[in-house]
Amino acid sequence: MTLIRYIALFIIAFQSNAQISDFDHIDFRKADSIALACKSEGLDNLPQLSYKLTSNLHTDVERFRAIYMWVCTNLTNDYGLYAKNMKNRDKYRNDSLSLQAWNDEVTKDIFRKLVKHKKTICTGYAYILKELSKLADIQCEIIHGYGRTSTINVAKLHAPNHSWNAVMLNNKWYLCDPTWASGLENPVSDSLKYEYIKGFFLVNPKFFAVNHYPIDQNWTLLGDQAPSFESFMEAPIIYGKAYRNLTMHSTPKKFHNFINRYQTVRFQYQLQKSVTQQHIRLEIDDGFNSKKIRPEIISTHDQSLTFDYTFNYDGFYDVHLFIGDDLVSTYTFKVKS
């Protein structure tokens, strides 16, 4: 990358408001229908696939949408290979020769399964999205970093565990995660179930940063507002279905919270669509009993959601937020007098 391109890239990267709302005027139904019509296509001829997906669309964002939708709805996540890869990378972390040999082996396995069976891990998703975009003359990069889920203890990792993409549209960088958009992790079975989640497409960078931390912090697209790794590690657990309901998570800012008895905690989010009080539920578990409450909503103005909850008793509580039937986020509260 030339120095001029490098500088230009990160000047643009600091435009932290780049998100799907920039394209509210675009109707993506045609792009989505083209992706669906190409469902039977394989990966043996990427130029042809890219042409079929994009040639009848008029804007870069529509062309990218068709490519992204095809990748999300046609590739299958090989969770077994992902788990094996993470296990061996940890096993060989202090043996550089064995680690390189494993990396060479798994890379071949990733691309063999990708081309033959359209089955892969996050690196394969990000690679195909980049290559198909490149063939459509759309600049798209692979971003490597850490992804936090309810079943991954990032603190115990010795290397990044996730990959996603940044795409240049109308001279601005945008973020997306085709892997997590295509399937939801089941914390019980430790597997992934296919279920397309639209909220991972051109995500608000501040929301994305709650559970994505790139190796190169410039790729947060947040400039000097980028979170530290420590604050990333302290953030709440945000589940995949949160991206079906939210465009922003504001407070509480931490997973573990220490408060005083009778202290009121504010919960604040930005919604994809307005909800009523009947859609919002907190489940509060003290280790012995669990109760469900419908908090009194303070505000839903302009698709924001704000409500308070007061902890009246000492104890340690797991607090889960549900919107409808979707588990959105989890926090813990240590309450003392």
Side-chain angles (χ1 to χ4, degrees):
M1 182 184 291
T2 65
L3 178 61
I4 292 175
R5 184 184 172 204
Y6 185 91
I7 294 172
L9 184 147
F10 289 119
I11 288 175
I12 293 169
F14 295 152
Q15 299 174 2
S16 62
N17 293 322
Q19 55 188 298
I20 184 63
S21 60
D22 290 348
F23 302 103
D24 282 347
H25 60 289
I26 299 290
D27 185 343
F28 289 114
R29 285 180 293 183
K30 182 177 180 181
D32 293 348
S33 66
I34 290 174
L36 181 61
C38 292
K39 189 170 181 61
S40 63
E41 298 291 329
L43 293 170
D44 53 327
N45 190 334
L46 292 185
Q48 178 177 285
L49 175 58
S50 182
Y51 179 81
K52 286 184 176 181
L53 288 168
T54 63
S55 60
N56 290 320
L57 297 168
H58 303 296
T59 65
D60 278 350
V61 68
E62 289 175 282
R63 286 189 278 269
F64 181 72
R65 170 66 170 230
I67 292 169
Y68 175 86
M69 283 295 293
W70 188 91
V71 170
C72 292
T73 57
N74 283 275
L75 301 188
T76 302
N77 200 306
D78 191 340
Y79 194 77
L81 179 59
Y82 168 81
K84 183 178 180 181
N85 182 41
M86 294 304 298
K87 179 180 178 180
N88 282 342
R89 286 174 66 182
D90 182 62
K91 177 181 178 181
Y92 300 131
R93 69 182 185 275
N94 296 319
D95 183 344
S96 59
L97 292 178
S98 295
L99 180 60
Q100 184 59 53
W102 167 250
N103 285 337
D104 292 342
E105 179 184 340
V106 76
T107 298
K108 293 177 183 177
D109 201 16
I110 287 170
F111 287 100
R112 179 184 61 80
K113 288 185 174 183
L114 178 59
V115 174
K116 188 173 182 180
H117 303 294
K118 294 195 288 189
K119 191 172 185 179
T120 189
I121 61 176
C122 57
T123 307
Y125 278 86
Y127 169 79
I128 291 298
L129 187 62
K130 176 182 178 179
E131 290 303 303
L132 289 173
S133 298
K134 180 180 177 182
L135 290 164
D137 200 26
I138 298 171
Q139 188 177 353
C140 182
E141 302 294 337
I142 299 174
I143 313 302
H144 301 292
Y146 295 89
R148 289 182 69 225
T149 72
S150 60
T151 62
I152 296 174
N153 187 346
V154 175
K156 292 186 177 182
L157 298 178
H158 296 92
N161 67 317
H162 194 41
S163 300
W164 56 92
N165 296 88
V167 59
M168 174 76 81
L169 299 168
N170 295 348
N171 295 317
K172 291 172 70 174
W173 285 103
Y174 294 81
L175 298 169
C176 60
D177 188 336
T179 309
W180 286 8
S182 68
L184 292 171
E185 188 174 18
N186 185 325
V188 177
S189 64
D190 222 19
S191 62
L192 282 162
K193 174 187 176 183
Y194 172 74
E195 181 181 349
Y196 176 68
I197 305 295
K198 68 176 183 178
F200 285 106
F201 180 70
L202 312 187
V203 191
N204 183 321
K206 290 183 179 179
F207 186 32
F208 203 67
V210 177
N211 52 10
H212 292 74
Y213 190 89
I215 298 172
D216 183 341
Q217 257 194 308
N218 288 297
W219 285 116
T220 62
L221 306 190
L222 295 174
D224 57 10
Q225 298 179 31
S228 66
F229 188 72
E230 289 73 21
S231 61
F232 166 73
M233 292 294 294
E234 292 174 345
I237 297 296
I238 302 295
Y239 299 93
K241 289 183 179 180
Y243 288 83
R244 200 158 67 181
N245 296 275
L246 306 180
T247 60
M248 176 63 73
H249 177 289
S250 298
T251 59
K253 294 187 179 297
K254 294 184 177 182
F255 175 56
H256 294 299
N257 299 274
F258 300 89
I259 64 173
N260 295 320
R261 187 177 178 184
Y262 303 125
Q263 183 173 337
T264 297
V265 177
R266 173 147 294 186
F267 296 78
Q268 193 167 26
Y269 314 88
Q270 192 70 25
L271 302 166
Q272 291 188 22
K273 59 183 180 181
S274 298
V275 299
T276 66
Q277 183 173 352
Q278 295 305 310
H279 288 96
I280 306 302
R281 181 174 85 252
L282 285 180
E283 289 195 3
I284 302 176
D285 192 324
D286 65 2
F288 301 97
N289 299 292
S290 179
K291 65 178 180 180
K292 301 177 182 179
I293 67 167
R294 303 281 182 187
E296 184 175 348
I297 295 174
I298 294 174
S299 172
T300 56
H301 177 68
D302 196 26
Q303 293 184 205
S304 68
L305 170 64
T306 303
F307 61 87
D308 292 339
Y309 182 78
T310 302
F311 290 84
N312 294 323
Y313 301 96
D314 291 1
F316 186 86
Y317 301 91
D318 291 327
V319 178
H320 309 284
L321 171 67
F322 286 80
I323 299 180
D325 293 327
D326 291 342
L327 175 57
V328 170
S329 54
T330 293
Y331 321 86
T332 69
F333 291 89
K334 177 65 180 291
V335 183
K336 64 178 183 178
S337 301

